[in-house]
Amino acid sequence: MEDLLEQERVIVDSMELDRVNKVRKLLMMSVNKRIPLSKIYHCRSLFGIPEDFRDRVSKYPNYFRTVVEEGGKRMLELVNWDPLLAVSALEREFMVDEEKVKRAFRFPVKHGKDLGLEKEDERKLNLLNSLPLVSPYSDGSRLDLWTLEAEKYRVGVLHEFLSLTLEKRASIHHVVEFKEEFSLTKHTYQMLFKQPRTFYLAGTEMNWVVFLKDAYDQNGVLIEKDPQVVFNEKLYKYAEMKEMEQGSVDQWK
């Protein structure tokens, strides 16, 4: 067990810059470029952020500062905007596989009657709505809440949010945690449900988990695993082994 704890310490230290950049990107996506420290702490395991991150942020004064709002709420605030980080996973993928990204989301053109279009022609028509994408690093708070652009923005924000998580998935509780910061609405479930090519929803409308489909293979296994995920799996196996050993001992008592 001591060996496992040491392995985790090594992973945490080696991945520190990666976790710092995750937090910077979360702040860059947020409305006021600040997020309550309590929210980041509550969701820390989702992103692989270490438990002592509040002490570690003081090492990066060029990236973060802690401010106290009225009422005593402690906020983590972005110090400098980095245009190199303001590129979403979708935008990076677009440079590699443009057609795949074009198929990622579907925002149908609304029309009053059947236009009699062939399937390919209808797809091209719908692309007029789907493209261009709206960057999750743009200021979504300025968009009219119920416009197409606003919905494209929110879908992009959630895609980027999930891409920053260790396992490319999050529960309703994690998503709702950042509702204000990311200009989300109470209709998030319905919005995600309309994009089955990209998101997989498990559970019910009141208690769901959303997955990035492309991050998993046909067997439901995460394709690219963060070192922390690999370690967690090893820890689970160790715990199961010890539980089985204890069960065997109990049988002989």
Side-chain angles (χ1 to χ4, degrees), residues 167 169 229-242:
E167 298 185 1
R169 65 173 180 171
V229 173
V230 175
F231 172 81
N232 290 345
E233 290 177 347
K234 183 187 297 185
L235 190 63
Y236 297 151
K237 289 180 180 178
Y238 176 80
E240 289 175 358
M241 180 186 69
K242 299 304 290 184

Side-chain angles (χ1 to χ4, degrees), residues 14-23 47-48 164 166 226:
S14 66
M15 298 300 291
E16 181 168 307
L17 185 57
D18 174 83
R19 304 324 189 213
V20 165
N21 285 336
K22 285 180 185 291
V23 176
F47 304 100
L164 294 174
L166 290 182
D226 183 275

Side-chain angles (χ1 to χ4, degrees), residues 56 161 179 188:
R56 294 179 184 244
F161 179 84
K179 179 176 179 286
T188 297

Side-chain angles (χ1 to χ4, degrees), residues 36-91:
L37 276 164
S38 59
K39 291 190 177 185
I40 298 174
Y41 182 80
H42 180 248
C43 296
R44 66 189 184 280
S45 60
L46 193 67
F47 304 100
I49 298 170
E51 187 170 4
D52 63 348
F53 88 97
R54 286 175 288 196
D55 299 323
R56 294 179 184 244
V57 295
S58 61
K59 296 163 54 179
Y60 302 93
N62 293 330
Y63 298 156
F64 313 113
R65 63 169 158 256
T66 302
V67 296
V68 181
E69 292 188 337
E70 292 184 13
K73 182 182 290 187
R74 298 177 68 223
M75 310 287 289
L76 189 65
E77 186 174 71
L78 185 73
V79 172
N80 290 311
W81 180 272
D82 187 343
L84 296 179
L85 286 180
V87 181
S88 69
L90 272 176
E91 290 170 318

Side-chain angles (χ1 to χ4, degrees), residues 3 9 13 47 60 88 93 134 156-157 161 197 213 231:
D3 289 341
R9 279 191 288 268
D13 290 340
F47 304 100
Y60 302 93
S88 69
E93 191 171 2
V134 178
V157 162
F161 179 84
R197 298 175 183 174
K213 291 179 74 171
F231 172 81

